[in-house]
Amino acid sequence: LAGLGIFTHPTRADTLCVHPTGGSGCYTTIQAAVDAANPGDTINIAEGTYTSTATRIVDVDKNLSLYGGWASDFSQRNPQTYVTTLDGQNQRTGVESTSGDTVVLDGLRIINGYGPAGGVEVNTGSITIRNCTFANNYGTGGGGAIRISDATIEIANNTISNNEVGLHGDGGGIHLEGCSGSISNNDISNNYLDDGAGGGLYLNNNGSITLS
């Protein structure tokens, strides 16, 4: 291409922002930012509570990194101090990624999710879930907080408590099937199920998974 006088440049990843009231070029919903983003972009999400009227709060269908825990003015980030909450209102799943993408979820508090998986559902691709809190989510099919199938995973430094899976479902906290990767330094406690397997963590037909 250079010999023809045509030069290509790598696409530069952008950073988008989400704030409950908008302003300063920010989106007011996480889904709007996801829809506007290009693959490889980063989305910074300010403190506050976010929800939706769809069957999930966020549907991630491209390679993206979502970082919660930002102060309202985006001057600093601390997920424990500046809490970014995704509230499913006991009606919808928190985050879905089912297109085989590479996704990072970091510093989010996902509560009151309801669906086949309550908090996060991933099917294929690569998913990193770090520094997140999952509480009071309900999965009707498996994975009260998290259900991941056929993906590469990193699940680290999360608090996963008081989640539940429905009748005949497995994994009150986490349900993994056909996955490989690592699970480290998580606080998984007080998760419930009716008659399935794995109150905190359920593993089925997985490859190499390191637990620490």
Side-chain angles (χ1 to χ4, degrees), residues 120-139:
V120 170
E121 180 164 18
V122 176
N123 185 6
T124 70
S126 175
I127 179 72
T128 298
I129 303 174
R130 290 189 303 248
N131 307 312
C132 292
T133 297
F134 294 85
N136 303 316
N137 298 289
Y138 187 93

Side-chain angles (χ1 to χ4, degrees), residues 104-116:
V104 175
L105 305 176
D106 193 317
L108 303 174
R109 177 174 176 255
I110 301 176
I111 63 171
N112 303 324
Y114 181 91

Side-chain angles (χ1 to χ4, degrees), residues 134 136 160-164 172-173 187-193 199-200:
F134 294 85
N136 303 316
I160 301 168
S161 61
N162 297 308
N163 303 282
E164 185 175 356
D187 181 358
I188 304 173
S189 63
N190 300 320
N191 298 287
Y192 307 97
L193 49 77

Side-chain angles (χ1 to χ4, degrees), residues 1 11 20 30 33 71 87 98 113 117 155 160 167-168 170 175 177 202 207:
L1 291 178
T11 301
I30 303 171
D87 185 353
T98 58
I155 301 174
I160 301 168
L167 187 65
H168 308 309
D170 299 314
H175 179 128
E177 191 152 351
Y202 175 77

